[in-house]
Amino acid sequence: MDVSRLLDDLNDKQRDAVAAKPSDMLVLAGAGSGKTRVLVHRIAWLMEVERIASHSILAVTFTNKAAREMRGRIESLMQQSLHTMWIGTFHGLAHRLLRSHYDEARLPQSFQILDSDDQYRLIRRVLKSMNLDEKHYPPKQIQWFINGNKDEGLRPQHIETHNDPTQIKMREIYEVYQQTCDRAGLVDFAELLLRAHELWLNHPTLLAHYQKRFRAILVDEFQDTNNIQYAWLRLLAGGDNNMMIVGDDDQSIYGWRGANVNNIQYFLRDFPAAETIRLEQNYRSTGNILKAANAVIDHNHGRLGKELWTEGEEGEKISIYAGFNELDEARFIVSQIKRWSDYGNALSDCAILYRNNAQSRVLEEALLHQSLAYRIYGGLRFFERQEIKDALGYLRMINQPLDDAAFERVVNTPTRGIGERTLAQVREHARTIEQSLWQTALIMLADKRLSGRAATALQGFIDLILSLKQAITDLPLDQQADTVIKRSGLLAMYQAEKGEKAQSRIENLEELVSACKEFEMPDDVENMTMLDAFLAHASLEAGEAQADAHQDAVQMMTIHTAKGLEYPMVFLAGVEEGMFPSQQSHEEPGRLEEERRLCYVGMTRAMQKLYVTYAESRRVYGQDKFHTQSRFIKEMPKDCVEEVRLRTTISRPVHNRFSQQTTVETFEESGFGLGDRVMHGKFGDGTVLNCEGSGAQARIQVNFDDVGTKWLMLNYAKLSKL
Ligand SMILES: Nc1ncnc2c1ncn2[C@@H]1O[C@H](COP(=O)(O)OP(=O)(O)OP(=O)(O)O)[C@@H](O)[C@H]1O
Ligand SMILES: [Mg+2]
């Protein structure tokens, strides 16, 4: 048996982990040290050497994208297709389990997943039905409350209210919400995990079956598991089987969403035989990037402590760029990418990472202006767009008419004369008779409880759904979608809207039909029709399989989304106080350190070149805000970074923000030259880096010896030459 290929490109420590006898194990190591690689090789080793069948292995990753990559890597190591292996996210795996055991989980066979947007709408409806004011019970807060409790494994009856009236009310809302979901066969994301956990608790024989079946459980990015996820794993790994977890406490970035980095300690407590292996060699980043990232994270306290070193070259310094506003910042980033691609490099080797999704728009605009293709991961994803959700709403109604969220979404879209009052009556009655909206509507119509016009309109909707169901039952998936989009009136509605927005909505609807056409039935599901599978895919994978995955394109995403990934060239944008670390991080204890870990994650995505950029003024909600360089930049050692100085300036005519004209005259007009030493009354001495604009708008950029780079209005700066 030639197993050397499983160990060849590993260092000694990595080999220890990969070739260990089956046992519980923790691999604790910093970014880029090969944790994910170890996990992949370990799975191959278990199959090849320990003869564990692929269907006896369960691997958990953080995103669907990571799961797909992992499966691909194991398949190429093993040179065989491994579709029977369970690899997925916690949510994906829980979903799969619940599909197979819907009965034990007390769910209807065709239960539907409620994504967070649908959940929000449902909560609003629940509040309305309870006659509660959203001002006193903000739906977002309720959503947070419900999901937070579910993440802790708490049902309403488990919640301690301490006789606090608000808590009592919140608990009641949770209860009504849950009853509504149960009635309609809806399962929100947190519920997937909670039900999967309860499945273990309530069905010991089932648990024993899976403990026996999954001989090896492997978890990547373990530092970001939450309590219910860990509880689920702990039960599953409680048999004669083994669990290997890999993680990095310095990369725990989901604390705000309930992830609990202490789970690493709990694992060591609960699995006392577990061996800990530390990896210390980094294979990803250049010396400079690694040194700077280590220096930044060193400012955090209470770390488990890890050293990372590299044999690689020092590489280029980290480039810091100060834009005078966010447009200038975006323009700079895009100009660097353009240069990179002009040299023949792939766009997909560049990633722009940012703290908040909203930052993407300006960057997108700049990329579009230069005709550079880009791909956004996360953000407003395809399956989250209004028109797509409308079309999916119809498909869901047809698939499972008890789905209240879908009913709400499409009952009067496009408008068909079903007024708010009629709907309120239906909701009210549904609550009384404890039935879904669909069933209630049928009953009310049969009982003639509705006035003539309202009854006709509602009957029209019901007939539409029934006739659509009949029309599409035997069609292929794409024709099902096409039929629904046309016959529901959605297409006509958007056609009538006109304008660019409506046009893009129509294109999106067309794209949905293409998506259905491309969709392949996953071979890892049971008890599902094609439509079932597609609807589950749309809810679970929203956007991760975005349009045209094969085109060479700049990769854009939040730092959170970039976890586990790596790119030759990385831009960290918006690294200024108030943005990153965020304003809120000063208010809650522990948040600042989590922001710093996020910065560490962002920096360590870079392999060869890292740019860190910020804007001295930024328009936030339509107002210009002024920010200084982030403390994280200041925490990087001076010898690892360099400030970018542009030789010429780029003007910004109002009508065309991203044109690349150079205005060489600006310097002359200003009376200063590049590199001139100047003095400012408040900031002291500095060096001129850049000029832009003219007349009253003229600005000058100076790198001050003490306070760093600043853009100043030339007229007010009162600079004197030294
Ligand atoms: N022994 C090795 N020899 C050569 N390259 C390696 C070795 N180990 C890992 N690598 C490479 O180093 C890079 C980082 O590895 P990997 O992604 O597994 O690290 P990680 O610890 O999971 O990082 P992160 O914490 O960011 O998830 C990858 O490109 C991987 O192929
Ligand atoms: Mg990894």
Side-chain angles (χ1 to χ4, degrees), residues 32 34-37 220-221 246 251 284 563-565 605:
K35 294 184 295 298
T36 303
R37 180 186 272 218
D220 200 1
E221 306 277 5
V246 313
Q251 294 187 68
R284 179 181 291 147
K563 206 162 103 134
L565 306 177
R605 298 310 97 199

Side-chain angles (χ1 to χ4, degrees), residues 9-11 14 29-38 73 220-221 248 251 279 282-284 563-566 604-605 607:
D9 349 319
L10 299 175
N11 64 34
Q14 292 175 326
S33 57
K35 294 184 295 298
T36 303
R37 180 186 272 218
V38 162
R73 286 205 241 161
D220 200 1
E221 306 277 5
D248 176 6
Q251 294 187 68
L279 310 175
N282 171 293
Y283 291 93
R284 179 181 291 147
K563 206 162 103 134
L565 306 177
E566 59 188 17
T604 52
R605 298 310 97 199
M607 299 163 79

Side-chain angles (χ1 to χ4, degrees), residues 394-401 438 462-475 480 483-484 487 531:
Y394 275 100
L395 288 167
R396 284 167 51 176
M397 275 310 284
I398 293 164
N399 199 37
Q400 151 67 299
W438 171 264
I462 285 172
D463 292 345
L464 173 68
I465 297 295
L466 293 174
S467 74
L468 277 173
K469 187 178 174 75
Q470 201 170 33
I472 70 168
T473 303
D474 296 320
L475 296 178
Q480 293 188 323
T483 309
V484 164
R487 290 198 21 201
L531 184 55

Side-chain angles (χ1 to χ4, degrees), residues 6 18 37-49 52 54 57-60 70 74 77-78 82 85-87 216-218 244:
L6 303 182
V18 167
R37 180 186 272 218
V38 162
L39 203 100
V40 165
H41 283 241
R42 174 71 173 167
I43 292 174
W45 178 273
L46 290 172
M47 290 171 65
E48 186 131 341
V49 180
I52 296 184
S54 64
I57 292 176
L58 177 98
V60 191
M70 185 169 290
I74 304 167
L77 265 178
M78 298 297 293
L82 294 170
M85 191 182 294
W86 284 45
I87 303 184
I217 299 157
L218 303 99
M244 173 185 198

